Amino acid sequence: MVPAGRGRIINRASVAGLVGDGGGPAYVASKHGVVGLTRQLAVRAASQGVTVNAICAGPIQTGLRKLNVLGADAPRHARRRR
């Protein structure tokens, strides 16, 4: 990308990485890491024509939620509604 003078990097993060809520400590910490990495890369790569962004999705109903992987401390809106 740098030799071409243009490019796009899109990382997958989570709203949990922005607000510090939405899952267990390990999940939130890992998503904060993705957000921080994205911001740092964006600053460093901008002058070389490369943009770096993160998609920060909110709660999504998946099989992991059915297994209660998030734990009891997951916010109510992140758990399956009955």
Side-chain angles (χ1 to χ4, degrees):
M1 288 184 234
V2 172
R6 62 187 173 89
R8 307 281 183 265
I9 297 172
I10 302 172
N11 294 321
R12 292 177 58 188
S14 169
V15 171
L18 301 173
V19 299
D21 196 6
Y27 180 79
V28 172
S30 69
K31 295 308 177 178
H32 270 280
V34 172
V35 170
L37 175 66
T38 301
R39 289 177 174 167
Q40 178 59 29
L41 290 174
V43 169
R44 296 189 74 176
S47 65
Q48 299 168 338
V50 178
T51 61
V52 186
N53 294 286
I55 296 173
C56 296
I60 299 172
Q61 185 65 39
T62 67
L64 291 176
R65 294 196 183 282
K66 292 177 185 174
L67 296 173
N68 199 24
V69 172
L70 294 178
D73 63 338
R76 188 171 222 67
H77 68 272
R79 288 190 231 135
R80 184 177 179 179
R81 296 174 199 254
R82 296 176 194 240

